[in-house]
Amino acid sequence: MKREERLNFIAQFIKENEVKTQEELVSKLQQHDVDVTQATVSRDIKSLALIKVPAASGGYRYDLPKNNEGLQSSLHKALVFDAITDTKIKADKLWIQANPGTTSLVKNYLLEDYGDEIFALIIDDDSALVIFETEAQAKKLYQVLTEF
C-alpha cells in the first residue's frame, strides 16, 4: 500500500474506531493487512496531524483535526512547509518538490489558501505543478515558500 493510500486508510479508520495508542493502531492496521511499523505509524500520525481527544471509554483517543480550527490550520500549514523540499518558478508556473506521499497535504493547502488564483494543479507522489492565472500570483506564492 502506498503512503497516501495508507494515510487515507488511517484517517478513515480513526473516524470509525476508537484508537488510543500508536501500538494499538499498528496492531489494527496489521490485522487489516497493512504492513506498518511503529515508526511508520508515528510519521503518519504527524502527517495527518492527528490529535488526542477524550474517549468515551475513558482516557484519550486519536482524532482527525477539525478544518475550521485555527490551531489545526497553523499545524497543517507547518506540516506543508516541512514537507516541501524544493521550488522552482517559470512565468505563471510553480513546481514544488515534496517528501514522498505528502503532496496531498500540499494540494489541500494550496487550494485552501490560493484556490481562486490557481488555473490548474497537478500532483503526483512527490511533486506538484501549479499553474496560476497570472505570473504575479505565482511569484507571490514562490516568495512565501522560499522565505519560510
Side-chain angles (χ1 to χ4, degrees):
M1 179 179 286
K2 290 185 178 182
R3 184 170 190 268
E4 191 166 341
E5 293 170 336
R6 189 179 64 247
L7 291 173
N8 289 333
F9 183 86
I10 291 171
Q12 188 63 39
F13 191 82
I14 292 294
K15 283 183 199 176
E16 298 171 357
N17 299 278
E18 187 175 279
V19 178
K20 295 183 177 183
T21 66
Q22 288 184 16
E23 294 79 16
E24 183 182 351
L25 184 55
V26 168
S27 175
K28 298 290 186 185
L29 291 171
Q30 289 174 343
Q31 289 173 12
H32 285 87
D33 296 322
V34 180
D35 187 28
V36 294
T37 65
Q38 188 275 329
T40 300
V41 168
S42 179
R43 286 189 298 272
D44 291 348
I45 287 170
K46 287 180 184 177
S47 293
L48 290 168
L50 295 182
I51 57 174
K52 288 271 192 143
V53 298
S57 62
Y60 290 88
R61 65 175 176 84
Y62 284 108
D63 198 7
L64 295 168
K66 308 298 180 233
N67 289 337
N68 59 356
E69 294 180 17
L71 177 62
Q72 294 307 317
S73 177
S74 296
L75 181 56
H76 180 246
K77 189 173 183 177
L79 288 169
V80 167
F81 284 101
D82 283 347
I84 294 172
T85 59
D86 193 16
T87 48
K88 294 180 183 176
I89 188 169
K90 183 166 186 166
D92 62 347
K93 294 171 238 10
L94 188 64
W95 175 79
I96 301 170
Q97 180 76 41
N99 293 321
T102 61
T103 53
S104 61
L105 290 170
V106 174
K107 178 187 86 171
N108 290 339
Y109 163 73
L110 293 171
L111 291 175
E112 286 174 19
D113 286 18
Y114 298 92
D116 293 342
E117 302 170 7
I118 294 174
F119 174 74
L121 173 60
I122 303 167
I123 68 166
D124 64 12
D125 188 56
D126 66 352
S127 64
L129 175 64
V130 189
I131 303 171
F132 285 88
E133 294 286 344
T134 69
E135 187 173 336
Q137 293 166 333
K139 285 181 181 178
K140 181 175 117 182
L141 178 58
Y142 181 76
Q143 286 179 329
V144 169
L145 295 178
T146 55
E147 290 175 1
F148 187 80

